[in-house]
Amino acid sequence: MADIARRLEPHRYGNRPTMKDVAARAGVGLKTVSRVVNGEPGVTPETGRRVLEAIEALGFRRNDSARVLRKGRTATVGLVLEDLADPFYGPLSRAVEEVARAHGTLLINGSSAEDPDREQELALALCARRVDGLIVVPAGDDHRYLEPEIRAGVATVFVDRPAGRIDADAVLSDSFGGAREGVAHLIAHGHRRIGFVGDRPGIHTGAERLRGYRAAMEDAGLPVHEAWVSLGSTHPERVSRAVRELVTGPEPVTALFAGNNRVTVTAVRTLAAHPAPVGPVALVGFDDIELADLLGITVVAQDPAALGRTAAERLFRRLEGAGGAPEQVVLGTTLLARGSGEIAPSRT
């Protein structure tokens, strides 16, 4: 009856059973429970059986956090992303997780929602939980708040965008070179009026892709009318409005370069719903998107898995004692010609 009563007791959520609880139930000392839990010798079979029965009955789990803290490491790393729902970050996060798993380490991740304050709050919360290292996709441009954590031994690597106002390891895609190549591709197919729809200019990747666009136009001796450049939020309503204005204005563009995957998706939908009066508009996007190969969308593709893997490998090299000054690694991009970027202008 006593066992039945214990099973019917309400759960005490948040109050997990301890080794002391196991010892009391099994009628043994704490040291005996510790020996059984850690697989150490010195316990008779009968005593071991009682301890294991108590562990099963109570649902006890060993506190690995306390055990690894005694060794000075927690076997956890944190990953701060811009948006967990963004398809770009799925392969990146998975690659970081695979590297962490290979090192016997748990990955904890969260999203900043492109909010610098939320990024700082999340990063410091992870540090407060004693993560061994951090990988951060920056939302802000001032990361001096992490200096005390880095001095305290928290290895930190930035990915996709560099850190702001501190020296730290960073792994980036070649946003400037990729955009320059994508716009040059449109120019090579006869376009002279090329619009750019991008992210906010304060974001490193957005600024670098805009710089690549301007460089490609300058290389070809082509003017850039400021009316052809639209920067701001990647919200579909804003992007759709910008696309419509670019292809229907007094000097309509014949081609578009989309600054990231979310802009590309909205541009494709807008052009399908509102055909341009100048005829089919050529399109090259930065970042690959799902079904782009089937839809014939030409893109400048990054390798988010390589970004995540490279950042994680660098993080663990630091954790294993690698010294030297912080380094910036830049990974190349690949132009994938699928049809939309090869449309010739209806008129020049």
Side-chain angles (χ1 to χ4, degrees):
M1 292 294 292
D3 284 342
I4 293 173
R6 273 193 294 270
R7 286 198 296 271
L8 293 176
E9 286 178 359
H11 292 296
R12 297 177 300 152
Y13 294 112
N15 294 292
R16 298 180 180 180
T18 65
M19 288 178 63
K20 186 176 180 181
D21 297 326
V22 173
R25 186 180 180 95
V28 300
L30 279 173
K31 183 61 178 176
T32 300
V33 176
S34 177
R35 284 173 176 158
V36 173
V37 167
N38 292 297
E40 298 172 358
V43 180
T44 66
E46 173 58 24
T47 300
R49 180 187 61 76
R50 293 207 317 274
V51 171
L52 291 173
E53 286 178 352
I55 287 172
E56 183 177 357
L58 293 172
F60 171 78
R61 294 292 181 270
R62 180 174 66 182
N63 186 348
D64 282 336
S65 295
R67 182 169 57 90
V68 295
L69 274 172
R70 287 194 293 270
K71 299 179 180 180
R73 294 273 291 274
T74 62
T76 58
V77 294
L79 173 61
V80 180
L81 299 169
E82 176 199 344
D83 183 357
L84 290 169
D86 189 326
F88 174 79
Y89 292 112
L92 189 155
S93 177
R94 178 62 182 271
V96 173
E97 184 177 28
E98 289 300 317
V99 174
R101 185 168 178 265
H103 285 82
T105 298
L106 179 68
L107 176 68
I108 306 171
N109 59 26
S111 172
S112 70
E114 201 64 77
D115 181 342
D117 292 335
R118 185 167 170 178
E119 173 213 297
Q120 179 174 339
E121 179 184 355
L122 179 56
L124 291 179
L126 290 167
C127 291
R129 283 159 177 74
R130 301 286 298 273
V131 293
D132 299 323
L134 280 176
I135 295 176
V136 181
V137 177
D141 57 5
D142 187 349
H143 294 92
R144 288 176 295 177
Y145 71 86
L146 280 173
E147 285 182 328
E149 310 300 333
I150 294 171
R151 285 197 299 269
V154 179
T156 305
V157 177
F158 290 80
V159 65
D160 190 40
R161 308 164 187 170
R165 306 185 74 175
I166 65 170
D167 291 326
D169 288 318
V171 180
L172 318 173
S173 290
D174 185 5
S175 287
F176 169 76
R180 189 177 194 174
E181 182 181 16
V183 175
H185 185 75
L186 291 167
I187 294 170
H189 283 81
H191 295 277
R192 299 295 177 264
R193 296 197 304 275
I194 301 170
F196 179 93
V197 184
D199 214 328
R200 294 186 292 272
I203 296 173
H204 172 81
T205 48
E208 284 295 284
R209 291 166 197 173
L210 175 59
R211 193 167 69 89
Y213 160 79
R214 292 188 184 278
M217 296 292 277
E218 183 179 346
D219 291 344
L222 299 175
V224 174
H225 294 233
E226 290 310 309
W228 296 349
V229 176
S230 179
L231 307 175
S233 164
T234 58
H235 190 279
E237 183 178 340
R238 199 285 299 183
V239 173
S240 182
R241 183 172 61 252
V243 169
R244 293 196 305 271
E245 289 173 355
L246 284 166
V247 302
T248 61
E251 275 195 284
V253 300
T254 62
L256 288 172
F257 186 83
N260 65 30
N261 56 354
R262 284 166 290 186
V263 173
T264 302
V265 169
T266 301
V268 170
R269 288 175 174 162
T270 302
L271 292 173
H274 305 279
V278 296
V281 174
L283 173 68
V284 174
F286 200 108
D287 291 340
D288 210 352
I289 59 174
E290 190 174 5
L291 301 181
D293 53 339
L294 297 179
L295 295 172
I297 308 301
T298 297
V299 299
V300 175
Q302 303 184 78
D303 189 341
L307 283 169
R309 183 170 57 254
T310 304
E313 288 170 349
R314 180 160 293 268
L315 182 76
F316 280 99
R317 283 199 296 273
R318 291 298 193 191
L319 288 172
E320 290 162 4
E327 296 178 359
Q328 189 172 102
V329 177
V330 179
L331 305 183
T333 57
T334 304
L335 178 70
L336 301 176
R338 294 171 172 149
S340 70
E342 295 70 57
I343 298 171
S346 298
R347 67 187 192 199
T348 58

